[in-house]
Amino acid sequence: MSTALPTSILGRTGLDVTRLSFGAMEIRGSRIWDGRPVTDQQAETILNSVLDEGINFIDTANDYGRSEEFIGKYIAHRRKEFYLATKCGCTVVRQDENTDDTPHVWTRDNLLRGLNESLQRMKTDYIDIMQLHNPPVEVTEQNQLVDALKEMQQQGKVRFISISTTLPHLPVYLEWGVFDTFQIPYSALEREHEEWISRTAEAGIGTIIRGGVARGEAGVGLGNVDRWQKFEEAKLDELCEPGESRTGFLLRFTLSHPNAQTVIVGTLYPEHLQENIAAAKRGPLPADIYAEAKQRLDRVGVTPVPTG
């Protein structure tokens, strides 16, 4: 009998989510951000595999190409098996025959348009977590975007309100205390928010981590060569267990952060999904390996931004 995926309570939402979650950006298709082509069969296979393996949290966005459409088409009938997070403020504009652009439009009307479009595409009548898609603080204030999110809640279409954000905006949003969760980038190769993730969790806000495997090792996955160069400079290969991939090590590093409540990892391929699940089930790195990895990363300049 296989072991279950570890879970965590997502802050004050109370949602019991698997610590490994699925990012549906990888099923966006080729028109958005140089995405890989994806067939209906590939989307059906990966989405159902995700649920079959017990992952219960799926993250997408209104501008992730065909992602929401595929979710509605292939797993809407399994809606009770997973929590669903999407993002608003997005638009998709045809750029040319092969490419779409995705400018954000930060108005109440566009946020509500996006919500209703997302509900229709995903064939559901509610979103568990609705996230603003990276607006700067001044835009969120000027355009009263939090009020629009609260309106969605009052309509019964959204359970919890959230924001996908980064420094320097995160501390201000944290101070506001209005968001139920934050989506924040973090991995061994991108440690700027390491201490801020803890501050967020201490405030009772759920922490959803994106970029937890830095898009996979360059040349194997889609990761940035310069960013992954730091893996070699820090000599992290010496800390990997026998047979452990760099991407698997990176995921376990991210899961070692005690406040990384769920870590979004996307893939198009079932074999990569299985690798991610195996790493997640193996669990966090041993404490001494985790501490050593952080020391080595500090030495090569991959460091957190202090909260104080």
Side-chain angles (χ1 to χ4, degrees):
M1 184 175 176
S2 63
T3 56
L5 282 165
T7 64
S8 182
I9 301 299
L10 191 60
R12 66 191 186 202
T13 71
L15 304 180
D16 190 13
V17 298
T18 47
R19 294 200 70 206
L20 176 65
S21 49
F22 181 70
M25 188 174 79
E26 286 305 312
I27 55 170
R28 66 188 181 276
S30 60
R31 295 191 62 86
I32 303 286
W33 312 321
D34 297 316
R36 291 180 282 199
V38 55
T39 66
D40 280 48
Q41 184 175 3
Q42 284 177 307
E44 181 178 17
T45 297
I46 195 66
L47 286 168
N48 280 284
S49 296
V50 163
L51 298 184
D52 291 345
E53 292 293 344
I55 292 173
N56 73 353
F57 188 91
I58 294 177
D59 175 81
T60 185
N62 190 252
D63 60 356
Y64 284 2
R66 300 189 67 192
S67 172
E68 290 187 334
E69 170 201 339
F70 284 140
I71 289 169
K73 193 171 185 178
Y74 295 122
I75 56 172
H77 65 289
R78 302 180 68 174
R79 181 68 178 90
K80 292 182 180 179
E81 297 179 43
F82 63 98
Y83 300 114
L84 184 57
T86 192
K87 306 178 190 76
C88 59
C90 324
T91 65
V92 176
V93 178
R94 180 184 171 90
Q95 187 166 314
D96 57 41
E97 188 176 338
N98 300 309
T99 310
D100 292 327
D101 196 11
T102 57
H104 287 105
V105 176
W106 296 115
T107 63
R108 169 191 172 276
D109 287 350
N110 188 52
L111 266 59
L112 294 177
R113 177 210 60 78
L115 165 66
N116 291 314
E117 184 176 83
S118 294
L119 292 172
Q120 185 176 18
R121 285 174 175 169
M122 294 191 284
K123 298 179 182 175
T124 185
D125 54 8
Y126 70 100
I127 303 296
D128 291 291
I129 297 176
M130 178 58 86
Q131 304 160 107
L132 295 176
H133 205 175
N134 299 310
V137 168
E138 57 271 18
V139 171
T140 304
E141 283 185 308
Q142 290 169 5
N143 295 13
Q144 300 179 317
L145 302 183
V146 173
D147 289 344
L149 292 180
K150 289 181 176 178
E151 187 176 344
M152 295 175 185
Q153 279 185 306
Q154 290 161 3
Q155 293 174 356
K157 297 177 180 178
V158 164
R159 294 178 67 193
F160 302 104
I161 64 173
S162 176
I163 188 165
S164 179
T165 190
T166 57
L167 293 168
H169 307 287
L170 191 156
V172 179
Y173 289 136
L174 181 57
E175 193 175 297
W176 288 3
V178 298
F179 295 109
D180 297 310
T181 69
F182 282 169
Q183 187 175 138
I184 306 169
Y186 175 65
S187 77
L189 305 181
E190 187 179 11
R191 295 177 64 205
E192 293 90 338
H193 298 91
E194 189 169 275
E195 296 181 13
W196 287 99
I197 291 166
S198 297
R199 279 282 293 274
T200 297
E202 288 161 7
I205 299 168
T207 55
I208 301 167
I209 306 304
R210 69 178 185 273
V213 296
R215 303 193 75 200
E217 182 185 353
V220 180
L222 301 173
N224 178 279
V225 173
D226 291 342
R227 178 166 286 174
W228 274 89
Q229 182 65 32
K230 292 295 183 181
F231 195 101
E232 293 189 8
E233 290 179 25
K235 299 182 179 179
L236 297 184
D237 284 316
E238 297 174 358
L239 303 181
C240 293
E241 294 181 2
E244 185 172 42
S245 70
R246 288 176 168 185
T247 300
F249 180 88
L250 215 67
L251 177 55
R252 293 180 68 206
F253 180 98
T254 305
L255 290 168
S256 298
H257 194 305
N259 303 121
Q261 291 160 358
T262 189
V263 180
I264 299 166
V265 184
T267 184
L268 185 56
Y269 304 114
E271 58 269 28
H272 293 162
L273 175 66
Q274 290 301 323
E275 291 171 12
N276 296 334
I277 287 167
K281 286 184 176 180
R282 190 175 292 175
L285 298 172
D288 59 334
I289 299 296
Y290 184 47
E292 176 65 22
K294 289 200 284 188
Q295 287 178 6
R296 293 184 180 204
L297 290 160
D298 286 340
R299 288 198 291 267
V300 299
V302 183
T303 58
V305 173
T307 60

